[in-house]
Amino acid sequence: MTTAAEGGELGRVDHGRTAGPPVDRDGELAVLSAAVRDAAAGRPGLVVLDAPDGMGRTTLMNGLLLEAHAAGLRVLRADGAAAGHTAPLSTVRALLEPVSDGATRRPSARHPTAQAGEDFLECDELPRSDVRGGDVPHGVLDALHQVVRRAARERPLLIAVDDAHALEPASMRFLAHVARRLAGLPVLLCVARRSGGGSPLLDEIAALPMCRVLRPLPLTSGGIGLLARRLTGREVDDGFGAACRAATGGSPLLVTHLLTALRDARLPPTGDALAALGAEALEGFRACVVRLLDGQPTTVRRAARALAVLGDGAPRETCARLATLDPGVFERCLAALGAVGLVDAQADGGTWSFAHPQVRAVAVTGMSSDEKSLLHGLAARLLHESGADVTEVAEQLRQSPESATRSWARAVLREAAREMTLQGFPHRAVELLRPCIPPGHEGTCAPELLLDLGLAESRVDPSAGAARLAVALDRLTCPHARLTALGALAGALMRSGEVSRATALIDRCREYGTDSAAAASSAQLLEAQLLLVATGHRATYSRLLDSTSLDLGLSGDTAARRALLASRAVVCAARADRVAEARDAARTVLAHGTPVTDAVSTLGTAASVLLYTDRPRESAEAFRQLLDAPHVTREEAYPTLLALTAEAHARLGALGEALRTTTAALEGVAPAPATRLAALPLAVRLHTLLDHGDLAAGTALVQDLPGRLDDEAWQWNEVLCARGRLRLASDDVEGALDDLTECGRRQRAWHRTSPAVSSWWYWAGRSHLARGDRATARQLADDAIESARAAHLPCALAQGLELRAATEAARHRPLLLQEAEAVLATTSAALLLARVRVARGRALHRCGDKQGARAVLRKAWEETYALGAPALHAEAHTALLATGARPRRPVPSGVDALTRSERRVAKLADSGLTNAVIAKTLCVTRRTVEVHLTAVYRKLNVAGRRELRFVLRAAGEGAPHAVGA
């Protein structure tokens, strides 16, 4: 029978939180089962469970106890970490107490392994002797061993000691003494210890010949999936196991707490749900991490704290210095943290990271704010000395206000703040700079520091930034710094709506120039800046236009004049005012300016002028050259530049390129909370999807947008236009008119009245036609035609003529559409030309001219196929079939239609070689080169080498394109 004490030990066995055997532990359980069977048969056994905390030592030990109890073994169990077991031999006495309670130990029959003449005495109590530390007399060890032998003679025995690494030395010596003397005894000794405990006596036990050392491995992804199904009762998605393993290192303890958090939060076991768990839901997980860290040595806890302060991927040498540990000791500490699943570290000295974000938070729990500030300040200094990036150093200084006031720290923070501003994160720049200026010290700090903070604040809070810049302006002495402060102050005033104060600064600007030329240049830059800043505020923009000059007669010999010329030209182009002059001004800016000498905003504005004056191919080439600049991706306006580039491609009919470019512009931006920087890419992508005929994708793109767009920024006007077109395609005519009418109202308020700027009027006309209101549609078409004729805007004129034709009787339509086709023949607007041809072919068919309709529609059918516009191609196909034609496969065109020889000739021509040189290079005749080039021009629908270069590069056949990089 089992004694009461034995039953108590078994009653405290933790059977685990899940039903079923431990997962991924089949090998270990098989070894333990065999050892139990051997002990029951009278054979000795020795097993060491060597595993980090949380890796399932206790679970395996509990399984062993249950199996031993079922096999009839007497079970003696002790825990080296139990409270009160600090006195010498205290753990041994607790272990052997159940078999030394005064009961008779002589068996009723001699045990098969008993030696002849061996005397079985009664023992009323355990031997006692004065023991100090680990120095245990041999006689005491032998007497204690006799207790084990007597118990084993009665019944096979299991001695299980958990957390043996925490045993006091005397009890550890007893275990080593017993382990060496198991021969001939039906005793299974199982010792569980933490990996890397560093105890010589436990290492000696593990090195004995009969010892089996079991080292449980982390759970596999499959094992985690099985555990998740047991605990949550739900099916597990494919990636959950890997995600959970990455977050826990495969530690069964951490995995169980994560799964429990998911179950309690009623979330499914998926990777997304795992990432969505907040700190409150992970309270149990955090407590588990705290216990794991508390169980580690002091050096490991110091290493964990240093890692938490520096963050994932910090150099190991820097982490070791912050933890004040020898590099070798630190590496062992890192390995220990990795063993318990808290850190994922490469053994070859590579990168490391915390397994879960909450681990980093827990690692600094319990530190006072002063201790954290001190550590972050020391980390900043160490990173700075090691040459780390300024943003990393600044992040540490941000959390150490005392360190931020030092001179070297202020220099780092200012540099990092400029970097954040360039990347479009002014909020972060303000956060970095504010600790440099303690409250009440604005009048004593460096004025350059005030200037930097004012520049950042003017983007976040224009009023506060203007106040800060005004103070800095009065204290600055450097003329260049004063001009910078003046420009930033003017911009802040514009954003605050104080137009009169901002424009008055242009005159004041001349006072700060070192000479008249510099003063004039500064004033021009400031005026250009005011025009660009005002485009973010409608009322401010309108007031500024009433008081500013739009003279386009400036030369482009300086960056300041080019900036002013571009800003004035885009205003004129948007209003269809002096379009030819505006186009020439934009060409002047692009001819003289480069991304090195001019601001990205200047060159981008000039390229947009070409787009708004119906020169899409020139515009696309200008944008491509600008996007090739290495620093442009760091500009705040980068998404807008990509969107305008995509619009140029879409107008040319390069729908695939337009989709790729808008994908890059919208990368990482959700449409629902989209800012005005994402609005234009959103609108262009929606138009392109509709041109492509993908109505479902367009609907999904804008489904989370609110019905009413309260933001008055002009970029949202284009979203209204695109959404109105989508609603029209979805047969929601009234909804389409609501969006398009509102778009027209906003465009007029923004002075964007040119029909080439936005196609809202065309789709509004189509919506009125769908409603049966021909008069309104005709008026919209007439207004666009009049404006386009006066401004010489061929694409807008052709589009207006097409809309006007749709409002006329059938017999009048062919002439209008023929004029539209003739107008487009001189442009590169391939998609619009194809659409006009489809409309003209249908009109000819209605008038009874089947032959003429068939010829026009067949051409449109081939062009739409080459452009990759399936919706318009299907429309052309249906119309062509209606004429009685039976079209075969379309004639191949586009870059993919080029033969190998044609492609080689095209690339050599693109590189600038003449036909004669190309012929010599390829060892062919000059006539062969001319034939190949003729075929290339026909297939690519280009007029010469200048257009050939653009098409090849847009398709990735020439120089690498910035958008695709």
Side-chain angles (χ1 to χ4, degrees):
M1 296 182 58
T2 304
T3 66
E6 293 172 38
E9 288 293 341
L10 289 172
R12 289 192 293 272
V13 171
D14 178 15
H15 295 278
R17 301 186 182 190
T18 60
V23 298
D24 286 341
R25 296 292 182 260
D26 295 342
E28 292 86 350
L29 292 174
V31 171
L32 295 176
S33 297
V36 169
R37 290 194 299 271
D38 287 345
R43 294 187 292 273
L46 177 59
V47 177
V48 171
L49 293 174
D50 187 291
D53 291 342
M55 205 56 68
R57 288 194 317 261
T58 302
T59 300
L60 288 173
M61 182 71 78
N62 289 341
L64 173 64
L65 297 178
L66 290 173
E67 189 154 349
H69 177 62
L73 272 65
R74 184 191 296 273
V75 177
L76 303 178
R77 183 185 184 188
D79 189 345
H85 291 183
T86 55
L89 293 178
S90 57
T91 305
V92 174
R93 295 185 183 281
L95 180 70
L96 300 181
E97 188 65 31
V99 295
S100 60
D101 56 357
T104 301
R105 302 301 171 199
R106 188 186 302 277
S108 57
R110 182 178 295 276
H111 194 276
T113 61
Q115 299 179 9
E118 183 174 3
D119 189 18
F120 284 83
L121 300 177
E122 297 184 359
C123 180
D124 294 333
E125 59 182 8
L126 294 174
R128 297 183 180 277
S129 174
D130 291 335
V131 177
R132 291 184 177 87
D135 188 14
V136 185
H138 185 272
V140 174
L141 293 175
D142 191 59
L144 292 171
H145 186 248
Q146 287 298 325
V147 175
V148 175
R149 292 176 65 87
R150 283 194 296 271
R153 293 299 182 266
E154 291 182 357
R155 200 162 111 208
L157 191 64
L158 168 63
I159 301 176
V161 181
D162 201 0
D163 290 333
H165 55 273
L167 287 172
E168 28 80 25
S171 294
M172 205 173 289
R173 283 184 61 86
F174 166 75
L175 286 182
H177 185 83
V178 171
R180 290 191 295 267
R181 292 164 176 78
L182 287 176
L185 295 178
V187 176
L188 172 58
L189 175 60
C190 182
V191 177
R193 71 166 183 175
R194 178 195 296 154
S195 296
S199 169
L201 288 173
L202 292 180
D203 293 340
E204 180 184 328
I205 294 173
L208 291 174
M210 69 179 301
C211 182
R212 294 291 303 273
V213 180
L214 302 181
R215 295 184 173 90
L217 296 175
L219 297 182
T220 63
S221 298
I224 293 174
L226 175 59
L227 196 60
R229 283 190 289 272
R230 287 184 189 174
L231 188 60
T232 65
R234 300 191 184 191
E235 286 302 316
V236 182
D237 70 0
D238 295 336
F240 176 75
C244 191
R245 193 178 194 277
T248 60
S251 166
L253 184 64
L254 296 176
V255 168
T256 302
H257 278 85
L258 269 188
L259 293 175
T260 302
L262 281 174
R263 182 193 62 189
D264 294 344
R266 302 181 183 276
L267 294 174
T270 64
D272 293 339
L274 192 64
L277 284 173
E280 293 183 4
L282 291 171
E283 193 59 39
F285 178 81
R286 290 169 59 91
C288 175
V289 174
V290 170
R291 290 196 300 272
L292 286 175
L293 285 174
D294 288 345
Q296 301 300 316
T298 303
T299 53
V300 176
R301 295 199 298 273
R302 279 165 48 195
R305 188 172 292 181
L307 294 172
V309 168
L310 286 167
D312 291 353
R316 299 191 182 201
E317 181 182 355
T318 305
C319 295
R321 291 178 64 189
L322 183 61
T324 61
L325 294 174
D326 179 83
V329 175
F330 175 78
E331 288 297 328
R332 290 193 290 274
C333 293
L334 195 59
L337 290 170
V340 295
L342 300 181
V343 169
D344 179 18
Q346 301 294 330
D348 59 356
T351 59
W352 66 271
S353 63
F354 283 107
H356 194 280
Q358 289 299 321
V359 177
R360 182 181 183 184
V362 168
V364 293
T365 300
M367 292 176 61
S368 67
S369 58
D370 291 340
E371 289 175 320
K372 290 180 182 178
S373 178
L374 182 63
L375 266 181
H376 282 294
L378 180 58
R381 189 70 188 186
L382 292 174
L383 288 171
H384 183 56
E385 292 175 353
S386 66
D389 188 82
V390 290
T391 55
E392 296 181 47
V393 182
E395 180 58 28
Q396 296 293 336
L397 289 171
R398 189 180 66 83
Q399 302 178 71
S400 180
E402 295 80 7
S403 303
T405 58
R406 298 171 184 171
S407 57
W408 70 270
R410 285 198 297 268
V412 169
L413 288 170
R414 290 180 64 188
E415 185 177 353
R418 294 190 193 103
E419 187 76 16
M420 290 292 101
T421 302
L422 282 175
Q423 294 179 11
F425 301 110
H427 292 85
R428 297 283 296 114
V430 173
E431 290 178 4
L432 293 174
L433 289 172
R434 276 180 177 162
C436 299
I437 307 176
H441 291 72
E442 289 82 356
T444 58
C445 70
E448 292 77 14
L449 190 57
L450 275 177
L451 173 60
D452 286 350
L453 181 55
L455 289 171
E457 278 185 332
S458 64
R459 302 285 189 91
V460 180
D461 183 353
S463 298
R468 188 90 63 181
L469 289 166
V471 175
L473 187 61
D474 292 337
R475 296 183 53 203
L476 288 167
T477 57
C478 172
H480 179 71
R482 291 174 69 87
L483 289 170
T484 301
L486 194 61
L489 177 59
L493 291 173
M494 290 290 291
R495 294 186 184 96
S496 301
E498 301 184 54
V499 180
S500 56
R501 287 184 61 192
T503 53
L505 291 176
I506 297 176
D507 295 331
R508 186 178 177 185
C509 181
R510 296 183 174 87
E511 302 173 7
Y512 299 127
T514 55
D515 53 48
S516 58
S521 177
S522 301
Q524 289 166 351
L525 278 175
L526 182 58
E527 185 176 349
Q529 180 182 355
L530 291 180
L531 279 170
L532 292 179
V533 169
T535 58
H537 306 269
R538 182 180 57 78
T540 302
Y541 183 70
S542 297
R543 289 199 297 271
L544 182 62
L545 291 186
D546 292 337
S547 59
T548 190
S549 169
L550 295 178
D551 178 20
L552 297 176
L554 297 173
S555 63
D557 54 346
T558 66
R561 287 173 181 166
R562 290 193 291 271
L564 186 55
L565 201 56
S567 62
R568 289 176 176 177
V570 76
V571 173
C572 292
R575 299 198 301 189
D577 176 27
R578 292 178 292 159
V579 170
E581 291 181 55
R583 188 186 302 124
D584 291 341
R587 288 169 175 164
T588 298
V589 172
L590 293 171
H592 293 85
T594 67
V596 177
T597 58
D598 293 68
V600 170
S601 59
T602 298
L603 301 177
T605 300
S608 66
V609 171
L610 295 176
L611 180 65
Y612 292 160
T613 57
D614 275 352
R615 296 298 184 272
R617 192 174 296 283
E618 279 189 74
S619 175
E621 178 64 16
F623 279 123
R624 186 197 63 77
Q625 293 178 2
L626 179 57
L627 291 172
D628 281 342
H631 65 280
V632 71
T633 57
R634 299 165 57 187
E635 295 287 335
E636 183 180 6
Y638 181 61
T640 301
L641 292 176
L642 287 176
L644 291 169
T645 305
E647 185 172 353
H649 286 304
R651 293 190 184 191
L652 290 170
L655 301 183
E657 186 67 20
L659 286 175
R660 286 191 292 271
T661 309
T662 53
T663 298
L666 290 170
E667 186 176 2
V669 179
T675 62
R676 61 181 58 178
L677 287 177
L680 191 59
L682 190 67
V684 177
R685 184 171 183 81
L686 182 52
H687 275 299
T688 308
L689 288 172
L690 293 173
D691 284 333
H692 201 268
D694 196 342
L695 193 62
T699 303
L701 186 65
V702 296
Q703 63 181 354
D704 294 328
L705 287 176
R708 177 179 175 81
L709 299 175
D710 294 327
D711 193 335
E712 286 288 332
W714 65 267
Q715 292 89 341
W716 288 109
N717 302 354
E718 307 308 325
V719 175
L720 283 171
C721 174
R723 191 172 68 179
R725 180 184 173 186
L726 173 66
R727 289 179 170 176
L728 176 61
S730 305
D731 296 325
D732 179 10
V733 178
E734 296 302 325
L737 280 174
D738 287 343
D739 276 347
L740 294 166
T741 302
E742 174 64 13
C743 176
R745 183 194 67 80
R746 291 192 183 201
Q747 296 285 34
R748 287 187 289 272
W750 271 103
H751 301 269
R752 294 169 63 85
T753 53
S754 170
V757 169
S758 173
S759 60
W760 71 268
W761 55 271
Y762 176 83
W763 298 110
R766 287 290 179 181
S767 300
H768 283 295
L769 284 174
R771 196 182 185 189
D773 185 359
R774 291 196 174 199
T776 305
R778 186 179 295 113
Q779 185 61 51
L780 287 169
D782 289 343
D783 291 344
I785 291 171
E786 181 182 358
S787 178
R789 284 193 193 280
H792 301 287
L793 300 171
C795 298
L797 175 58
Q799 203 169 17
L801 289 169
E802 183 201 350
L803 179 59
R804 185 71 166 79
T807 68
E808 292 292 338
R811 66 180 183 277
H812 299 307
R813 293 179 184 178
L815 287 176
L816 289 169
L817 292 170
Q818 185 178 8
E819 182 184 357
E821 189 175 349
V823 168
L824 289 173
T826 61
T827 71
S828 305
L831 185 62
L832 179 57
L833 177 58
R835 183 182 293 117
V836 168
R837 280 180 174 152
V838 171
R840 181 171 170 242
R842 283 183 161 176
L844 289 171
H845 184 218
R846 287 193 184 95
C847 292
D849 186 2
K850 288 188 177 183
Q851 192 69 25
R854 195 174 297 152
V856 173
L857 287 171
R858 186 180 294 278
K859 196 168 187 179
W861 179 71
E862 292 177 350
E863 289 173 348
T864 53
Y865 176 82
L867 291 172
L872 191 56
H873 180 68
E875 188 178 340
H877 185 76
T878 302
L880 187 56
L881 290 176
T883 66
R886 293 294 178 264
R888 298 180 181 181
R889 295 181 60 186
V891 177
S893 60
V895 174
D896 294 335
L898 299 179
T899 65
R900 183 178 179 183
S901 298
E902 290 168 353
R903 194 184 298 264
R904 291 176 63 188
V905 170
K907 287 185 177 181
L908 291 174
D910 175 41
S911 66
L913 300 181
T914 64
N915 289 0
V917 175
I918 295 173
K920 186 176 181 180
T921 302
L922 298 179
C923 299
V924 297
T925 65
R926 183 170 179 175
R927 175 59 182 163
T928 301
V929 173
E930 292 173 352
V931 170
H932 284 325
L933 275 179
T934 301
V936 168
Y937 294 158
R938 176 180 56 80
K939 291 181 180 180
L940 299 184
N941 191 29
V942 296
R945 297 194 180 207
R946 181 175 180 180
E947 294 185 3
L948 174 65
R949 170 172 298 184
F950 169 79
V951 173
L952 289 179
R953 294 191 177 184
E957 295 288 335
H961 198 283
V963 175

